[in-house]
Amino acid sequence: MEFAELREAIEKVGLVDAHAHNIVALNSSFSFIKAFTEATGAAALSFAPHSLSFKRNVRETAELYGCENSLKGVEEYRRSAGLESSSLKCFEAARISAILIDDGLKLDKKHDIEWHKSLAPFVGRILRIETFAEEILDSEIPDGWTLDKFTEAFVRNLKSVADKIVGLKSIVAYRSGLEINTNVATKDAGEGLSEVLRGGNPSRIVNKSLIDYIFTLSLEVALSFDLPMQIHTGFGDKDLDLRLSNPLHLRMLLEDERFSKCRIVLLHASYPFSKEASYLASVYPQVYLDFGLAVPKLSVQGMISSVKELLELAPVKKVMFSTDGYAFPETYFLGAKKARECLFSVLRDACIDGDLTLAEAVEAAKDIFALNATMFYKINVDANAFSSKDTVSVNPVKINSRALENSSSLVRVMWVDTSGQHRCRAVPVKRFGDIVRKNGVGLTHASMGMSSAADSPADESGLTGVGEIRLMPDVTTRKKIPWMEGQEMVLADMHLRPGEPWEYCPREALRRVLKVLKDEFDLVMDAGFENEFVLLKSVSWEGKEEWVPIDSTPYCSTAAFDAVSPILDEIVAALHSLDITVEQLHAEAGKGQFELAIGHTTCPLSADNLIYTREVIRAIARKHGLLATFVPKLALDDIGSGSHVHISLLRNGENVFMASGGSSKHGISSIGEEFMAGVLHHLPSILAFTAPIPNSYDRIQPNTWSGAYHCWGKENREAPLRTACPPGIIDGLVSNFEIKSFDACANPYLGLAAIGAAGIDGLRKHLRLPEPIDKNPSLYANLPRLPQSLPESLEALKKNSVLEDLIGEKLLVAIKGVRKAEFEYYSQNKEAYKQLIHRY
């Protein structure tokens, strides 16, 4: 039986998250470790990282962020990215169309409900009755509270907000247990109130009689306004007596005829009492079920088992989804991701067992994830809000069944060599899981010594065909290939043996430099790339095939955009499916040339995104019979293509490249100026990384906006370093600087490593920037040119001990050897550069 239709329905439906809580500010005292555990107290928390769910949830969050697989790595990423950025990333991946928030959970520095409206199309409020009652008791009234006064105030205030909420919520399970007495004597309730008042402010209601009394008052209001009541059932933190949270204790409430029309939602799958909850939903018409918290706080099998138990007896129309997300956006992401995976597994098995047809399973998925809650809570939400063909799961539903594993599907294990070429080896997905994920793929040492002209090591690279390394997949980069059904791709690190990085690994070189920047200056380097490329079509000329630009339209031409809109639409959709932000795209000044800018992020992830962006553009163009090339200078009489990069600096998630006020002469902070001054000082050497082939220097010419002179300028596009004040930044301040002398033949990891190393030198030596160039640099008589050839930049690199120390001596030897081979080959073969369209 094929389950593609079921998987697609589950992946694309916009989720209605029917029970969640407020997100807190980054500087909240509420510890981030609580995103992954219900444990409290130092002793219990020390063991939490050793639970199955903790390990899995940290790993999957790290995969989403593209950061180190550790709690520390995730925390560093979210501090660096900022709360808004990480929240949007989590919610885009979760694809939640509505959130119903219980804002009664007391969390330090929590954002109000209004703040959450940027994260989902609909945000509603669930009112927690115990917190509501405590807030009333904390207010002062003449002569103090009596039960009558409290009853009148509670009912009046609850009715006043009834039309502004979508439901009520009770944590009676935490306070006194689920054996709720709906016939509490007035005398007992009054004594309970007196007990609470003696405790002083802030009030905390723990007396069982008073709690049951408040619950009954709330049900009466809920009945008159047709509001549902959510009840915490099953497990939680240790404040809860699990024995009293079994929903079977609710019998008195469920048998009370006064409340037979009240709609009761049992939260958290009532775990470990899921079967009991399923039974109650099957025999009591007013009982509904929600499986938040059980997903994703259990093991995978625990989650699947719990949801299966809910569906053993309960009607599908009475089961609903929630994340029980709280405090951190990551909890929403994990709840949504694991719910999709688990429900797919449960419904698939139901089809295999014959309980459901495929069509019934698809309908059940839509009901459980969206339609049931939409009708139940009477909210106006489009369940298809996230179901367009352009929306693909960031981490697609995983099928663990061996019977369904497609042994013919492939995983491409990718790397970028010293000459900036993308290469890969493909392995069957089963072998990837069984062997390659842990042990890697073998690769010759020679692979990091190859130039763009030959698939053999350069003579002076120090690398030969003797020796083998391991390509170790970085599983945080594993992606479903949008343009190739049934295939995946993953970027790889180079290790001598698993766990031991090879000193020639470009990704590791970047990490080494960034670690120095972080350790010495507590700074994180952010990067965002622009991609210029030319679309070529094949023509026959005198019996020979030639590739020529598709048009001759000018800069930002609407006609050029119209001509290839279907291709551009497909490129953008594919990039979104890979969680790569597209900021803008337009036709460039060259023939058949376009530019696509992607969002900025931390350097390793930015380089990863750049690699995948080039892969997408080339593949989609090829699919349409075109060739996309990123070669720096396709035609010597036309504009060249660069891969300009924008650099900023972050500390604790805040941009510190930008001056904090009007005191800076250039709108740059002193830290930012020192860093940028280091880059400017070392720029001739950096070119050996960022302009790595002779053709690169055909692009870097005066009056072509490519940065030919050794200078910097404010918003000066003829300068190789340009400070930028983009829309949204206060006028006069600078958020980042652009390096224009960077092209797509560069290995982005090595290019960013060189930039970072130069910036570190600037910070160490407290370098200052010269005065900016505010005109076309070619108008200045004494302004020096940057290297005009690869040998010139190579000569500068040979004299640069700073880059050698920070990037590594052996890696520099290989880079120099490959660059020398590039120059020698192309100087002897003048027309050979024309074949670079097939390599870049």
Side-chain angles (χ1 to χ4, degrees):
M1 183 179 288
E2 295 293 331
F3 295 97
E5 183 183 353
L6 175 61
R7 177 164 58 180
E8 182 178 28
I10 286 176
E11 286 182 353
K12 293 186 176 181
V13 65
L15 305 179
V16 175
D17 186 352
H19 173 234
H21 305 278
N22 306 65
I23 291 172
V24 301
L26 276 180
N27 60 350
S28 170
S29 63
F30 194 67
S31 174
F32 181 61
I33 194 174
K34 294 289 289 177
F36 305 108
T37 179
E38 288 292 304
T40 55
L45 285 171
S46 69
F47 288 100
H50 303 289
S51 68
L52 301 182
S53 64
F54 191 102
K55 291 177 183 294
R56 182 193 67 244
N57 289 332
V58 168
R59 182 179 66 252
E60 294 188 345
T61 305
E63 289 176 1
L64 173 71
Y65 288 156
C67 64
E68 176 187 305
N69 178 21
S70 67
L71 183 64
K72 180 181 177 182
V74 172
E75 287 186 285
E76 287 180 351
Y77 174 90
R78 66 197 311 271
R79 279 196 298 268
S80 162
L83 180 63
E84 286 75 13
S85 176
S86 55
S87 294
L88 287 172
K89 183 178 281 288
C90 286
F91 276 83
E92 285 172 3
R95 301 185 313 288
I96 294 172
S97 61
I99 319 169
L100 308 185
I101 294 180
D102 160 20
D103 61 349
L105 184 61
K106 294 176 181 177
L107 297 166
D108 178 50
K109 296 179 181 175
K110 70 181 182 184
H111 290 290
D112 61 20
I113 286 181
E114 192 67 26
W115 182 91
H116 296 74
K117 291 183 178 178
S118 65
L119 303 177
F122 179 89
V123 178
R125 183 189 182 197
I126 300 287
L127 186 143
R128 182 181 293 207
I129 60 174
E130 288 82 8
T131 302
F132 190 70
E134 288 166 349
E135 290 172 349
I136 290 172
L137 290 177
D138 286 341
S139 60
E140 297 292 333
I141 65 166
D143 302 323
W145 288 105
T146 64
L147 185 63
D148 287 343
K149 289 179 181 179
F150 168 73
T151 302
E152 189 278 329
F154 180 81
V155 172
R156 172 171 39 83
N157 282 288
L158 189 54
K159 287 181 176 180
S160 72
V161 299
D163 62 342
K164 302 177 182 66
I165 61 178
V166 295
L168 302 177
K169 156 85 177 289
S170 173
I171 55 167
V172 61
Y174 266 93
R175 298 296 176 87
S176 56
L178 294 179
E179 198 167 355
I180 300 166
N181 179 5
T182 55
N183 296 297
V184 178
T186 303
K187 176 175 175 294
D188 294 336
E191 290 175 355
L193 177 61
S194 298
E195 179 184 316
V196 171
L197 294 174
R198 285 195 296 272
N201 289 347
S203 300
R204 179 170 169 79
I205 302 173
V206 293
N207 178 274
K208 176 170 170 47
S209 293
L210 182 59
I211 290 170
D212 291 352
Y213 179 79
I214 291 170
F215 186 92
T216 305
L217 289 177
S218 302
L219 279 187
E220 291 171 350
V221 175
L223 192 60
S224 62
F225 284 87
D226 194 21
L227 290 171
M229 172 71 80
Q230 296 180 346
I231 304 179
H232 184 119
T233 61
F235 75 135
D237 62 42
K238 70 175 185 178
D239 286 346
L240 175 145
D241 187 336
L242 189 60
R243 296 167 298 181
L244 300 179
S245 66
N246 187 327
L248 292 181
H249 287 301
L250 292 170
R251 177 159 184 168
M252 175 182 284
L253 165 64
L254 299 178
E255 295 287 340
D256 192 320
E257 291 187 3
R258 291 175 297 165
F259 305 121
S260 62
K261 301 285 188 191
C262 284
R263 293 175 291 135
I264 307 294
V265 187
L266 308 183
L267 298 174
H268 310 140
S270 300
Y271 182 85
F273 310 112
S274 302
K275 288 184 177 179
E276 288 86 341
S278 182
Y279 160 75
L280 293 175
S282 72
V283 297
Y284 289 101
Q286 70 268 44
V287 175
Y288 294 75
L289 308 178
D290 181 297
F291 57 83
L293 190 63
V295 176
K297 286 290 170 65
L298 307 179
S299 69
V300 170
Q301 289 305 314
M303 291 185 290
I304 292 172
S305 173
S306 181
V307 175
K308 277 187 174 179
E309 288 180 351
L310 287 186
L311 293 176
E312 282 185 358
L313 291 171
V316 168
K317 294 288 186 181
K318 299 178 79 175
V319 178
M320 292 175 284
F321 156 81
S322 75
T323 62
D324 198 23
Y326 61 96
F328 312 105
E330 294 80 2
T331 59
Y332 285 84
F333 160 68
L334 292 167
K337 180 178 187 296
K338 302 316 291 183
R340 290 185 198 269
E341 293 175 7
C342 290
L343 191 61
F344 174 83
S345 178
V346 170
L347 294 179
R348 179 202 63 207
D349 289 352
C351 292
I352 292 171
D353 294 340
D355 285 334
L356 295 174
T357 65
L358 183 58
E360 289 169 339
V362 169
E363 182 183 1
K366 293 177 180 178
D367 284 341
I368 291 170
F369 277 139
L371 299 180
N372 290 347
T374 300
M375 296 175 64
F376 184 82
Y377 292 100
K378 300 178 180 179
I379 57 179
N380 184 20
V381 174
D382 181 4
N384 297 313
F386 292 87
S387 63
S388 75
K389 64 182 177 63
D390 295 341
T391 304
V392 181
S393 174
V394 171
N395 290 297
V397 174
K398 296 176 181 176
I399 307 173
N400 296 317
S401 169
R402 292 181 181 178
L404 295 176
E405 189 172 62
N406 183 356
S407 61
S408 66
S409 59
L410 300 173
V411 180
R412 300 179 190 180
V413 183
M414 297 170 53
W415 74 98
V416 183
D417 65 17
T418 313
S419 62
Q421 296 181 84
H422 298 193
R423 301 180 186 264
C424 78
R425 287 191 170 181
V427 296
V429 67
K430 187 175 189 309
R431 179 171 177 79
F432 181 88
D434 293 346
I435 304 293
V436 175
R437 184 185 177 110
K438 291 184 179 180
N439 300 289
V441 173
L443 188 70
T444 174
H445 283 190
S447 293
M448 278 301 287
M450 296 175 181
S451 71
S452 67
D455 286 339
S456 58
D459 290 341
E460 296 184 24
S461 66
L463 297 165
T464 69
V466 178
E468 186 169 272
I469 60 163
R470 294 287 177 264
L471 280 176
M472 298 300 299
D474 178 354
V475 294
T476 66
T477 69
R478 189 176 178 182
K479 304 284 186 179
K480 194 175 180 181
I481 296 180
W483 64 87
M484 190 70 66
E485 185 68 29
Q487 290 193 24
E488 296 176 291
M489 55 186 174
V490 63
L491 294 166
D493 292 314
M494 296 175 171
H495 287 196
L496 285 170
R497 57 190 61 82
E500 185 180 338
W502 192 36
E503 54 201 322
Y504 294 87
C505 175
R507 300 178 91 231
E508 185 62 27
L510 177 58
R511 291 190 193 104
R512 287 197 299 268
V513 171
L514 296 178
K515 186 176 188 303
V516 174
L517 184 64
K518 178 67 176 176
D519 290 348
E520 288 192 24
F521 303 101
D522 192 26
L523 292 173
V524 172
M525 189 166 88
D526 223 33
F529 284 95
E530 300 171 9
N531 294 268
E532 293 178 335
F533 58 96
V534 177
L535 291 176
L536 305 173
K537 62 184 177 182
S538 176
V539 298
S540 294
W541 182 258
E542 296 181 348
K544 294 175 62 177
E545 182 186 51
E546 290 187 19
W547 289 93
V548 299
I550 59 169
D551 62 26
S552 299
T553 53
Y555 173 71
C556 282
S557 165
T558 55
F561 203 91
D562 285 340
V564 294
S565 268
I567 297 174
L568 298 178
D569 285 343
E570 194 169 341
I571 287 170
V572 171
L575 291 174
H576 284 170
S577 79
L578 298 174
D579 202 28
I580 295 173
T581 300
V582 176
E583 292 196 340
Q584 63 177 345
L585 64 161
H586 61 267
E588 258 296 349
K591 296 174 182 176
Q593 189 183 39
F594 293 84
E595 179 183 298
L596 184 149
I598 58 176
H600 66 89
T601 184
T602 53
C603 277
L605 181 55
S606 185
D608 293 346
N609 287 346
L610 180 65
I611 299 305
Y612 282 150
T613 298
R614 293 175 188 164
E615 288 290 305
V616 165
I617 292 171
R618 282 196 287 246
I620 301 299
R622 189 181 303 116
K623 177 181 172 183
H624 288 268
L626 302 178
L627 178 64
T629 180
F630 297 84
V631 69
K633 195 78 166 179
L634 175 67
L636 299 184
D637 61 349
D638 201 357
I639 294 295
S641 294
S643 187
H644 312 155
V645 63
H646 291 255
I647 301 293
S648 57
L649 298 172
L650 305 177
R651 179 177 286 154
N652 297 324
E654 299 295 325
N655 186 331
V656 294
F657 183 82
M658 182 166 54
S660 58
S663 58
S664 168
K665 183 177 180 181
H666 304 305
I668 313 171
S669 68
S670 58
I671 289 172
E673 182 176 352
E674 290 176 4
F675 187 94
M676 184 175 165
V679 175
L680 180 64
H681 175 73
H682 290 283
L683 195 53
S685 300
I686 292 173
L687 258 61
F689 295 83
T690 62
I693 65 174
N695 186 254
S696 299
Y697 298 84
D698 294 329
R699 181 183 81 89
I700 304 175
Q701 298 294 327
N703 303 312
T704 60
W705 293 8
S706 57
Y709 291 86
H710 197 174
C711 64
W712 76 282
K714 297 180 179 180
E715 298 290 7
N716 187 341
R717 283 172 167 77
E718 276 293 342
L721 301 188
R722 173 180 74 94
T723 56
C725 178
I729 302 300
I730 298 172
D731 187 41
L733 297 185
V734 170
S735 66
N736 66 83
F737 71 98
E738 178 187 27
I739 303 175
K740 301 190 76 68
S741 44
F742 200 124
D743 65 48
C745 296
N747 181 309
Y749 305 102
L750 296 180
L752 290 173
I755 292 165
I760 288 169
D761 190 50
L763 290 167
R764 286 173 173 172
K765 295 175 180 175
H766 303 292
L767 298 181
R768 312 306 298 181
L769 286 169
E771 287 300 302
I773 298 301
D774 58 3
K775 300 176 185 176
N776 188 326
S778 63
L779 300 176
Y780 293 77
N782 299 317
L783 197 60
R785 284 285 301 271
L786 284 172
Q788 298 181 57
S789 67
L790 182 55
E792 287 184 37
S793 62
L794 190 55
E795 188 61 30
L797 179 59
K798 288 177 180 178
K799 299 174 183 177
N800 196 316
S801 60
V802 170
L803 298 190
E804 182 175 297
D805 291 343
L806 286 167
I807 293 176
E809 180 182 357
K810 288 186 177 180
L811 179 54
L812 260 300
V813 168
I815 291 170
K816 294 170 189 175
V818 170
R819 301 295 181 262
K820 182 180 179 182
E822 300 276 13
F823 172 73
E824 290 177 348
Y825 178 80
Y826 291 105
S827 62
Q828 296 168 16
N829 300 272
K830 298 297 185 182
E831 298 295 304
Y833 77 92
K834 294 179 180 179
Q835 293 304 307
L836 290 173
I837 60 173
H838 301 292
R839 289 185 176 263
Y840 300 101

